[in-house]
Amino acid sequence: RRASTAPRRGWRVLALCAGLLAALPALAVAQPSAPGLPLLASAERAPLVVVGRLDDVAPLDASAFAASLRVTRVLRGDTKPGATLTIAWEEPGRPRTPRLAAGQTVLVALEVLPSQSLWRARAQTRPGLRLIAGNGDAFWPAPAAPDVGVLAAYLALPANASAAARASALARLCDKGSDVLTTAGIAHLAASPALTGALDARATATLMHVAGEARRALNVRRAVVVLAGNARLAAAAAALERLTAPANPLAAAALTAVAQIRGGLPPAQVQDLLEQSNAQLRAVGARYATGGLAERRLPALARADSAPEVRIAAIAGLTAAHTVWGVDGCLPALADADPSVRSAAARALGGLGAAAVPALEDAARGVPALAPGAVAALALAGPSGAAALRRLAQNGPNESLRALARLALGKGPDEH
């Protein structure tokens, strides 16, 4: 009976590892846009931006729709209120019910038909057809009148406005707009290092006013804090510090932003964070622990903290140390009960490249529970990792490990 169950157990392990190996190289998948989110960037470039009421929504073909739009307000372009435009958009892979419907009021950025495209044939019976910009996503259903005014003021900037002027205008848009428009403004800033780099102290203070507004949705306030940290906005540091009290729901994000701006956190503050009952705060402490504190505390956190996010942060801190003890402290996480922690450990160790390969190969050979994650990490460790996988495929201590190594090398489990 043992002889018959062992192969099945080995193949179960192999199947689980195959899933891990397949997941590791995957890039982050773009999430569906919030209403209005693609509109801002498209509106900057589009020749026509208007508000209007939709009518006569109908399919053009299997993947495109058209509608008439009676213009009620012009934010940019050569048309006038009262004009009726014919607009179109594509919805590939979408259900036959379109995203826009007759009777809706919509703010939309429109572009001319591209030359030499399928749209030219589609438009033969619809003179003057305009496309919704942003690949059909640059629209905003039922925009509030104040938001339309805020966006109109932003679009009134001259085309040759400096980066500083545009960045300041975006900060004002974020401050004056609704949460939907503010989210779009933050996303637009975050996507443009030239704009975030042009934010002066006054514009930064305007953004941080949004982060401090209790009436705002928490995710909007957090987005401002994250932007300030990622952009290293030194002028935001004092406002961020005011958000770091443990009871503040933005404390973890604000502490992270402060650390990004200042190049870390003081050891005493990190020590205090590691003692917090709030897992988000412990995770910040784990991510920014350095030196002797990291060596003393992070291995145990990576192995046994109750919160997966803390274990993942400890893994990041351990691999950032680029030390033997850091690698050794990460290895047990390759067999963590939580798949997100296992994946984080494999990515982090694989990211160390050749420095981690000897420990990973030893773990794969000598500790069966660590073998799947070690092989996954070796697959990410570059040429030296591939060389270790070839050795494991040839002379690993058991067939399950050899088959897994072959799989990581892109071979079938029975190939040699």
Side-chain angles (χ1 to χ4, degrees), residues 2-369:
R2 282 193 299 269
S4 65
T5 57
R8 288 199 300 270
R9 186 183 307 112
W11 287 112
R12 284 198 299 270
V13 171
L14 182 57
L16 289 171
C17 296
L20 177 59
L21 287 165
L24 285 175
L27 297 176
V29 177
Q31 297 300 308
S33 298
L37 194 59
L39 177 62
L40 195 54
S42 295
E44 284 189 338
R45 302 185 296 269
L48 189 59
V49 183
V50 299
V51 180
R53 184 177 174 83
L54 290 164
D55 199 3
D56 301 324
V57 177
L60 274 176
D61 56 25
S63 62
F65 285 81
S68 61
L69 180 73
R70 185 170 180 79
V71 176
T72 57
R73 181 167 179 177
V74 180
L75 282 71
R76 169 184 289 166
D78 58 2
T79 192
K80 295 182 179 179
T84 298
L85 308 175
T86 302
I87 68 171
W89 65 97
E90 196 157 13
E91 303 205 24
R94 297 183 185 275
R96 289 299 296 170
T97 301
R99 290 171 291 168
L100 296 175
Q104 279 185 308
T105 295
V106 62
L107 193 160
V108 62
L110 298 169
E111 58 190 6
V112 297
L113 294 177
S115 61
Q116 298 178 344
S117 77
L118 175 61
W119 281 108
R120 291 292 179 182
R122 287 168 167 168
Q124 286 181 357
T125 59
R126 294 175 181 265
L129 184 68
R130 304 264 191 160
L131 290 184
I132 296 180
N135 295 317
D137 288 332
F139 66 89
W140 186 0
D147 277 339
V148 176
V150 170
L151 181 58
Y154 175 69
L155 294 178
L157 281 173
N160 62 352
S162 67
R166 196 164 293 280
S168 293
L170 276 169
R172 290 193 297 274
L173 178 147
C174 291
D175 188 36
K176 300 298 183 183
S178 69
D179 282 351
V180 171
L181 188 56
T182 299
T183 298
I186 296 165
H188 194 40
L189 278 168
S192 176
L195 289 177
T196 52
L199 287 165
D200 59 18
R202 184 173 181 178
T204 299
T206 300
L207 280 175
M208 294 311 300
H209 176 257
V210 177
E213 283 190 290
R215 69 177 181 86
R216 294 279 192 169
L218 189 60
N219 66 306
V220 174
R221 300 171 63 200
R222 183 177 287 109
V224 174
V225 170
V226 170
L227 173 68
N230 289 342
R232 310 294 197 272
L233 299 179
L240 289 167
E241 289 278 12
R242 292 193 289 271
L243 300 174
T244 60
N248 192 310
L250 292 174
L255 283 162
T256 300
V258 169
Q260 290 174 300
I261 292 168
R262 295 181 173 166
L265 296 172
Q269 187 175 21
V270 172
Q271 177 72 58
D272 179 65
L273 290 171
L274 293 176
E275 304 302 328
Q276 295 290 324
S277 59
N278 184 316
Q280 291 182 341
L281 297 180
R282 292 203 308 281
V284 175
R287 188 168 298 276
Y288 291 102
T290 58
L293 179 59
E295 187 172 4
R296 290 193 307 273
R297 297 295 304 275
L298 295 190
L301 289 173
R303 184 177 61 253
D305 192 275
S306 59
E309 64 194 284
V310 178
R311 302 201 295 276
I312 290 171
I315 289 165
L318 285 166
T319 52
H322 293 278
T323 60
V324 172
W325 58 261
V327 171
D328 290 344
C330 275
L331 288 173
L334 293 171
D336 194 277
D338 189 295
S340 66
V341 178
R342 295 197 301 272
S343 179
R347 287 177 182 273
L349 287 165
L352 293 176
V357 166
L360 289 168
E361 185 173 359
D362 287 347
R365 290 180 180 278
V367 187

